[in-house]
Amino acid sequence: MKILVCISNVPDTTTRIAIGPDGKSISTAGIQWIINPWDELALTRALELKDVGRVTEVVVANVGPTLTEATLRKALATGADRALRVNTEPTDAWSVAINLAELIKNEAFDVILCGIESSDHNGSVVGGLLAGILDMNIISSVSGLDIEGDTLKVQREIAGGKELHETSAPVVLVVQKGIALAPRIPSMRGIMMARTKPLLTSDPVSSEPMTATAQLFMPKAKGACRMVDAENAGDLIRLLHEEAKVI
Amino acid sequence: MSILVYTENREGKFKKQSFELVSYAHALAQLAGREVIALSVGEVADDELKQLGEYGASRIIAIDYSGHLESRNFSKLIHHWVGALGPDIVLFADNNTGKSLAGGVAARLKAGVVSGVSGLPISMEPFILSKMVYTGKVNAQIQINTHHKVVLLAGNSFGVHTNPVTSIIEHHNIVAELASPSSELLSTEMQKGKILLSEAEVVVSGGRGMKGPENWGPIEELAGLLGAATACTRPVSDEGWRPHTEHVGQTGKVINPNIYFAFGISGAIQHVAGVSRSKVIVAVNKDPEAAIFSVADYGIVGDVNQALPQLIAAAKTLKDNA
Ligand SMILES: Cc1cc2nc3c(=O)[nH]c(=O)nc-3n(C[C@H](O)[C@H](O)[C@H](O)COP(=O)(O)OP(=O)(O)OC[C@H]3O[C@@H](n4cnc5c(N)ncnc54)[C@H](O)[C@@H]3O)c2cc1C
Ligand SMILES: Nc1ncnc2c1ncn2[C@@H]1O[C@H](COP(=O)(O)O)[C@@H](O)[C@H]1O
């Protein structure tokens, strides 16, 4: 089986975010870019399955400008076999999805892994759009994946429990924590090898933006934390009930 | 014109989120001059379907179906009804189900889709919605340019409001053209009383300050009293003190309950990334300088072992008086 892991390039969570002069995008100065955490877990599981011989090739793909190559190289250093990059600054989730779909139309993948959300726009929709465009089945909120011969065993969390699905390829899986427990980290050897692994760039297909960011702004600063005396902790419950009205 | 709301049920009972979604649709319909149509799929009795009218749905389309529909076919089915009913706005709850269906519906409609939406649109023309981005650090206003608009409403962001209207229930069988299924639901394992963390209204969470798995009794007791789900920080799940399904934060789950209790949690930025969309954050930490207090709404500087029993006692009293 051949797996495609869709990789979103996002600012590290610890980076301070500042809004750019256009008021619609963030200022990229000084940002540390990382593999979107859930994509990193997806990649980790794909590599684990390759280690045990269930997967023949792990390919990573990103829709993004040259800047994202460092992130793709990190995925290669972690163990992916090759990388694909569609050279464009995505305007919205739709532009990401149609460009990923184009890659998948050109080359058959058995399993396409997307993260549950990308920690930049927190869109949560690329996987669903992609499956819709390709008319493939999709299983979301996946927290476990195993491959047995030609079938995939997929576990997902639902309200009050979990479900086990069996599916044939091709399929889009939208994954969350649980798919892997901790991200795999590149080894020294992996970093050396990554330099010579293929990273192919292709041109985007054109698309009309379906959505656009009209404005970004910083949320109002939170009011001071209201302190309750430790000797009188029970009073907190009363405040939550009477004042905040949340319990 | 109309607004179509997908109202999810579990074993024939609507989820509270479905009522929240219909309440939201009703408010949106007032702004937009639209009719609210609810779409239900499954085996739901008329008495239950009628409830959707209490929150503002004037037309209820019930697709009677007892099997399992894989997401691709589910999206096709909803897409079919968008074609048949002609709504321009299609609403889903932003939960596991909504997330697995909305993209497929939007792709088939060539529609703009926005998830994690909180509150009514800021403007109808152009259609602009607000949501949080960059792990809760930034507010965004997102405009949908297409005729059809697919919206996923963040749970607990609007609330359930009654708006009784007279409603008509129509029963249908599946008439949409579906693909032959490529997957099968093998089994469902339910844990009694377990609340899905990502849908919980109240979450009680513990960090390394709890000192060990043997000290989680009071956290579970408080959660039980408040009808809450339990959660934890990454080191706690890494240590195996708690199951990894409870881990919240940058690399775990992102949650947005009405209230998040943080016991013995320092408030590292990677942790806060997963909980900053909570309405109210309560922190108990013995260190007055802990970062968690800068994002908390209510706080106690003190030992968790002293605070928890007092909170449990107060929650019991509240419950008894309710
Ligand atoms: C790439 C990356 C991703 C990460 N992702 C996540 C993530 O998704 N989720 C996450 O949670 N973390 C994540 N982390 C880890 C994060 O940086 C913190 O290390 C972690 O959140 C700390 O967990 P904690 O608050 O339980 O422990 P600590 O930081 O050790 O805090 C314990 C707190 O308990 C208090 N305390 C101790 N004893 C008591 C007592 N008796 N009574 C009251 N208070 C007490 C202390 O004052 C302290 O503030 C990530 C880190 C990295 C580098
Ligand atoms: N620019 C991108 N390139 C490749 N994959 C992406 C990109 N953006 C998002 N994805 C994938 O889609 C998932 C969900 O992203 P989103 O819908 O933007 O929250 C991510 O976890 C990635 O797997």
Side-chain angles (χ1 to χ4, degrees):
Chain A
M1 289 221 182
K2 203 158 92 176
I3 299 193
L4 180 72
V5 186
C6 302
I7 302 273
S8 174
N9 174 64
V10 298
D12 185 296
T13 316
T14 53
T15 326
R16 205 180 71 86
I17 300 288
I19 293 166
D22 66 353
K24 296 178 182 187
S25 59
I26 60 158
S27 148
T28 52
I31 286 190
Q32 171 83 32
W33 299 96
I34 58 165
I35 303 178
N36 183 43
W38 296 282
D39 305 350
E40 204 176 20
L41 293 175
L43 173 62
T44 301
R45 185 61 190 150
L47 295 172
E48 287 169 359
L49 289 166
K50 194 182 165 205
D51 289 346
V52 294
R54 299 274 192 276
V55 166
T56 47
E57 197 184 18
V58 177
V59 182
V60 289
N62 170 262
V63 180
T66 325
L67 161 95
T68 69
E69 290 203 350
T71 294
L72 285 174
R73 285 275 172 224
K74 188 182 170 205
L76 293 172
T78 309
D81 296 295
R82 59 195 166 88
L84 303 169
R85 180 173 68 84
V86 183
N87 185 28
T88 183
E89 180 73 65
T91 47
D92 64 350
W94 182 267
S95 66
V96 173
I98 58 160
N99 280 298
L100 289 172
E102 207 56 28
L103 295 178
I104 297 158
K105 282 181 202 156
N106 292 333
E107 181 181 352
F109 292 97
D110 299 296
V111 184
I112 296 134
L113 297 180
C114 284
I116 193 151
E117 70 173 35
S118 171
S119 62
D120 49 4
H121 300 288
N122 303 107
S124 275
V125 294
V126 166
L129 286 175
L130 184 59
I133 293 167
L134 296 166
D135 197 22
M136 270 186 201
N137 190 33
I138 171 173
I139 304 180
S140 74
S141 311
V142 168
S143 54
L145 168 64
D146 269 305
I147 299 178
E148 289 167 16
D150 289 338
T151 59
L152 296 114
K153 291 266 164 58
V154 179
Q155 187 186 297
R156 73 186 288 256
E157 275 176 57
I158 54 163
K162 53 191 175 194
E163 288 177 349
L164 186 63
H165 294 252
E166 187 174 85
T167 177
S168 56
V171 64
V172 175
L173 303 178
V174 173
V175 310
Q176 59 177 346
K177 166 87 193 272
I179 183 80
L181 293 185
R184 189 172 285 195
I185 291 160
S187 63
M188 213 43 222
R189 199 175 114 81
I191 295 168
M192 303 292 289
M193 280 170 57
R195 295 199 192 126
T196 56
K197 285 183 179 172
L199 193 167
L200 285 182
T201 305
S202 59
D203 289 328
V205 292
S206 68
S207 70
E208 285 291 307
M210 306 276 181
T211 62
T213 302
Q215 208 190 336
L216 293 182
F217 53 94
M218 288 312 204
K220 277 201 286 290
K222 261 206 163 174
C225 179
R226 175 145 180 198
M227 288 301 181
V228 174
D229 188 9
E231 300 304 312
N232 213 347
D235 204 34
L236 182 62
I237 297 288
R238 184 190 61 79
L239 285 172
L240 293 172
H241 181 62
E242 289 171 9
E243 190 184 273
K245 298 192 167 59
V246 280
I247 54 174
Chain B
M1 204 100 73
S2 59
I3 299 175
L4 184 67
V5 189
Y6 172 62
T7 44
E8 184 184 5
N9 73 85
R10 194 148 272 284
E11 283 157 6
K13 297 276 173 234
F14 286 114
K15 289 184 151 186
K16 190 174 160 208
Q17 278 186 332
S18 297
F19 297 140
E20 180 178 30
L21 205 56
V22 175
S23 312
Y24 178 80
H26 178 82
L28 186 55
Q30 306 289 88
L31 282 178
R34 304 257 195 302
E35 178 193 15
V36 177
I37 311 178
L39 178 71
S40 158
V41 180
E43 290 180 302
V44 186
D46 276 4
D47 273 351
E48 183 74 13
L49 289 166
K50 239 191 275 160
Q51 281 210 57
L52 297 171
E54 292 300 306
Y55 303 97
S58 53
R59 215 173 140 188
I60 297 154
I61 310 286
I63 313 296
D64 301 313
Y65 185 73
S66 61
H68 166 73
L69 267 183
E70 65 180 24
S71 296
R72 168 172 51 171
N73 280 330
F74 220 126
S75 294
K76 282 180 191 272
L77 175 64
I78 296 173
H79 177 234
H80 166 90
W81 281 99
V82 174
L85 300 163
D88 59 342
I89 302 173
V90 184
L91 295 179
F92 292 92
D94 195 342
N95 59 20
N96 288 0
T97 310
K99 278 193 170 81
S100 66
L101 300 178
V105 173
R108 289 177 174 88
L109 290 170
K110 293 210 163 40
V113 47
V114 180
S115 74
V117 168
S118 55
L120 289 165
I122 293 163
S123 139
M124 292 300 295
E125 283 291 338
F127 194 75
I128 302 181
L129 296 156
S130 76
K131 67 172 291 184
M132 299 296 271
V133 293
Y134 293 97
T135 63
K137 287 180 198 159
V138 180
N139 273 328
Q141 295 184 350
I142 313 282
Q143 179 173 330
I144 303 186
N145 299 327
T146 48
H147 168 72
H148 286 112
K149 296 153 181 75
V150 178
V151 175
L152 291 106
L153 182 70
N156 307 316
S157 67
F158 190 76
V160 175
H161 308 280
T162 49
N163 316 285
V165 296
T166 21
S167 53
I168 320 161
I169 300 174
E170 299 168 30
H171 287 275
H172 295 270
N173 293 319
I174 292 186
V175 287
E177 241 179 80
L178 304 184
S180 65
S182 60
S183 70
E184 198 188 327
L185 174 61
L186 295 182
S187 61
T188 308
E189 198 181 300
M190 300 304 272
Q191 255 174 295
K192 212 171 169 292
K194 188 156 162 70
I195 297 164
L196 186 67
L197 184 51
S198 50
E199 290 182 9
E201 287 174 52
V202 182
V203 173
V204 182
S205 183
R208 208 145 49 180
M210 293 303 298
K211 297 293 181 330
E214 67 282 5
N215 299 328
W216 243 264
I219 294 228
E220 288 185 328
E221 189 176 356
L222 183 62
L225 286 165
L226 299 174
T230 47
C232 67
T233 62
R234 190 174 87 169
V236 165
S237 71
D238 283 352
E239 292 289 334
W241 294 0
R242 299 296 296 173
H244 67 78
T245 46
E246 289 194 358
H247 159 198
V248 292
Q250 174 191 327
T251 47
K253 293 212 173 80
V254 176
I255 56 172
N256 52 358
N258 281 334
I259 174 157
Y260 181 73
F261 286 89
F263 290 100
I265 292 177
S266 58
I269 195 156
Q270 297 94 345
H271 181 76
V272 172
V275 304
S276 60
R277 287 172 252 184
S278 311
K279 271 211 198 93
V280 173
I281 296 179
V282 177
V284 180
N285 195 306
K286 66 176 185 192
D287 174 8
E289 302 297 323
I292 191 77
F293 289 121
S294 62
V295 293
D297 301 277
Y298 293 90
I300 294 176
V301 176
D303 193 314
V304 287
N305 301 311
Q306 265 148 35
L308 269 164
Q310 293 183 59
L311 293 171
I312 289 168
K316 272 191 190 140
T317 314
L318 184 69
K319 202 174 169 190
D320 291 344
N321 295 342

